[in-house]
Amino acid sequence: MWAARRAQLCRALCGARPTAASSRPRDAEPGAAPAPRCWSCGAPLPARGGLPRFCPACQALQPPEGPPDLFRLLGCDRSFDISVPQLQQRFRSLQRSLHPDYFSHRSQKERDFSEQHSSLVNRAYQTLLSPLSRGLYLLKLNGVVLAEGTDSGIDVEFLKEIMEINETLAEPNNEAKIEEIESFIEVKLEELTKNVSKAFEKETQGSTGHLQRLHKVDK
C-alpha cells in the first residue's frame, strides 16, 4: 500500500524530476557543504530542489527544503503567463499525495513533514493562482519589492475611477450600479493583467506600475 502511495507522489512530481545523472549523489568537492542525508537512516539524498522527496534507502519522507521555488514546486515555468488548469491539476495531485491521512501509519515525524509539505503546496497554489500575488512574487524573485501602501506611479485618472467606485458603493439601493461596476472591474482586471504580462516579457522593472494598478482594482 505504501509503495503504491509513494508511486502516486512520484507521478505527481513528473516533469520536475532531475535526470538520472543529477540524482546520483556525488562526492563532495573540497570545501563544499556535505551532501544532505536522510533523517531516519542516514543515507545520502539526491537533490530535489525544494520538491518533496523520499529517502531512496528507507523510503522515509524528508522535510521541506527552503525557501522553495513556488513555480517549480507546482510544475510551472517561472513566468507571469501560466496555465491555470495545469496549476490546478498539479495542486490537486500533490495535495492528494501529501495528505497526512496517507502517513497515518508512518512515524510522527513523517506525519509532521506531510503537514508541512501540504501547507507549503497550498501557499504556493494561492500565490500563483492570483495574477497580483504571482506578479509580486515574480518581482521578489528578481529583487524588486514594492513598499506596502505606496501609490507612486498611479495616474490621476485611474485614482479618480477608484474614488468614483467607492462613492457609488457607499450609496444605498444601487444594485444595478454595482453590477455595472463589477463588469467594469472585470474588464479593467483583464486589461491590467495583459499589460503586466507584456511588461514582464519586456522588462521585469517595467511591470511595477501596472502591479500597483492591479493591486488597487483587486481590492
Side-chain angles (χ1 to χ4, degrees), residues 55-75:
C55 172
C58 70
Q59 312 305 320
L61 178 64
Q62 302 302 303
E65 299 175 54
D69 184 326
L70 303 187
F71 285 97
R72 184 177 181 187
L73 178 62
L74 290 180

Side-chain angles (χ1 to χ4, degrees), residues 182-201:
E182 288 176 347
S183 298
F184 166 79
I185 290 177
E186 288 179 4
V187 172
K188 181 63 69 173
L189 278 173
E190 183 177 355
E191 174 190 335
L192 293 175
T193 300
K194 288 180 180 178
N195 289 341
V196 170
S197 179
K198 291 178 181 178
F200 268 115
E201 290 177 4

Side-chain angles (χ1 to χ4, degrees), residues 5 9 41 51 64 72 74 87 93 98 160 168 189 215:
R5 289 170 179 168
L9 179 55
C41 70
L51 298 175
R72 184 177 181 187
L74 290 180
L87 176 71
S93 180
L98 291 167
K160 287 182 178 178
T168 303
L189 278 173
H215 177 61

Side-chain angles (χ1 to χ4, degrees), residues 2-14 17 48 52-54 61 90 93-98 102-103 117:
W2 174 248
R5 289 170 179 168
R6 180 175 179 273
Q8 182 182 10
L9 179 55
C10 289
R11 286 194 296 272
L13 297 174
C14 180
R17 298 174 61 182
R48 296 298 296 175
R53 61 180 173 180
F54 289 87
L61 178 64
R90 167 80 167 170
S93 180
L94 282 175
Q95 282 291 58
R96 285 195 301 267
S97 302
L98 291 167
Y102 283 174
F103 298 85
H117 278 296

Side-chain angles (χ1 to χ4, degrees), residues 78-138:
R78 188 183 283 192
S79 169
F80 186 77
D81 290 319
I82 63 174
S83 170
V84 173
Q86 178 184 339
L87 176 71
Q88 293 171 333
Q89 181 180 9
R90 167 80 167 170
F91 168 70
R92 289 192 293 265
S93 180
L94 282 175
Q95 282 291 58
R96 285 195 301 267
S97 302
L98 291 167
H99 197 280
D101 287 350
Y102 283 174
F103 298 85
S104 59
H105 299 294
R106 305 290 287 184
S107 67
Q108 180 61 50
K109 182 169 286 190
E110 282 184 271
R111 293 198 295 273
D112 292 341
F113 290 158
S114 73
E115 291 180 358
Q116 293 171 23
H117 278 296
S118 183
S119 176
L120 179 59
V121 167
N122 186 66
R123 179 171 67 85
Y125 176 70
Q126 295 300 328
T127 298
L128 300 187
L129 183 62
S130 164
L132 173 62
S133 57
R134 186 193 319 140
L136 291 173
Y137 179 61
L138 265 176

